[in-house]
Amino acid sequence: MTCKLTHRVAVAIFDSDLIATRLLLAFAEFLWAVMLFWPGETFDRPTYHLMAALAPENVWACAFGATSYLQLYIVLDDRQHTLWAHYFALWNSLLWAYVVGSMLLSVYPPPAAIAGEISLMTAAAWVWVRPMILLHYARLAHGHHTQH
């Protein structure tokens, strides 16, 4: 049973595409942009102290809006396997890591509502890391490994 479960988990993680993950990220980034463009002072709250120190709300809103658009473009134009999409995944991963990290460092105890953002950060990191893992093992499987 354990072997069968392990195989199913491995298939789910490595043999599926990341289109649904990218679409979820695009939707979340779109919502972040909308909420940050919303009238009011979101960054007056202590949770966003470190984000506010880096840039004002409208800059963050534009960053999330542009990121959402590019994420959607990558999926709809079938560009998820390009080098550009991989570099974008690195940007996306860093964006989510900064946002989540800054919120976690700005208040204590951490807000429970940030659980969704932690999941999004993990998903963004996976979109960036997974192709490197697959490439590494594909090279090993085809004898293109190097000795250290």
Side-chain angles (χ1 to χ4, degrees), residues 28-40 42 45 57 61:
E29 291 150 4
F30 171 76
L31 291 176
W32 263 84
V34 167
M35 298 303 169
L36 291 174
F37 275 130
W38 204 276
T42 302
R45 298 178 187 132
E57 282 181 51

Side-chain angles (χ1 to χ4, degrees), residues 6-96:
T6 304
H7 175 72
R8 286 182 181 201
V9 169
V11 167
I13 292 174
F14 291 108
D15 291 347
S16 61
D17 63 38
L18 296 172
I19 290 173
T21 304
R22 284 186 179 272
L23 287 173
L24 180 66
L25 287 165
F27 185 61
E29 291 150 4
F30 171 76
L31 291 176
W32 263 84
V34 167
M35 298 303 169
L36 291 174
F37 275 130
W38 204 276
E41 298 300 322
T42 302
F43 280 9
D44 283 349
R45 298 178 187 132
T47 304
Y48 305 103
H49 173 73
L50 291 175
M51 289 176 69
L54 185 63
E57 282 181 51
N58 60 344
V59 171
W60 281 101
C62 289
F64 273 108
T67 300
S68 175
Y69 172 80
L70 293 171
Q71 192 83 264
L72 196 58
Y73 170 76
I74 288 168
V75 170
L76 296 180
D77 205 36
D78 196 28
R79 297 197 177 263
Q80 56 268 27
H81 301 294
T82 64
L83 184 59
W84 181 85
H86 187 68
Y87 286 130
F88 174 82
L90 171 60
W91 151 257
N92 196 237
S93 182
L94 292 172
L95 173 69
W96 282 107

Side-chain angles (χ1 to χ4, degrees), residues 47 100 103-104 107-119:
T47 304
V100 169
M103 287 191 293
L104 289 172
V107 294
Y108 187 84
I114 200 174
E117 273 71 21
I118 293 171
S119 299

